[in-house]
Amino acid sequence: MSEKRLKNKLLKKRLFTKNRLIILNEDTFEEIFSLKLTLMNVFVVATIGAILIITVTTFIIAFTPLREYIPGYTSSKLKKNATELALKSDSLAFAIKKNEIYLESIKKVLNGDLEYAKVNKDSILAISVDTLPDLKLTATEDELNLRKEVSEKEKKDKKMEKRN
């Protein structure tokens, strides 16, 4: 135990012993700069500097367009264009499919291959869904009056609850 304590004391003494860093002009031996340091101060400053450099570099890469040069990262513009193209291709594929079905039905009419007793409910529903007009719904005066009555009733109920 005592040997371990001696090593710890010696290490502590080396870490906290003050040393002087002097920068001299070699020709005139004039002292230009002088600084008192300990080994612990040098270690702490070097560690903080390294952490600071790593942090700044990480933030520069993460939050600037530099990240696009790292393999595996794609640009935000490229991602946006890819999603837009995917949506367009889906809608175009759907439009082509509708046109093919339409052309097949026209071919059947022209060839006289119609089945009069067979009605496809899905195609009727699809036509009704596709041709729905854009409606702009507005509330009538009766609806507005009803809304006012309901809001007034709710206010009265809240007042009654506060009293109780």
Side-chain angles (χ1 to χ4, degrees), residues 38-90:
T38 64
L39 195 57
M40 185 61 122
N41 289 346
V42 173
F43 178 72
V44 169
V45 169
T47 304
I48 290 173
I51 291 172
L52 186 66
I53 289 173
I54 291 170
T55 306
V56 168
T57 306
T58 303
F59 277 107
I60 287 173
I61 291 173
F63 298 113
T64 62
L66 284 176
R67 70 174 171 261
E68 296 172 11
Y69 295 109
I70 297 174
Y73 282 98
T74 57
S75 69
S76 57
K77 187 177 181 182
L78 182 65
K79 286 181 183 179
K80 183 180 177 184
N81 288 340
T83 19
E84 287 177 3
L85 289 175
L87 291 173
K88 284 181 184 178
S89 65
D90 287 343

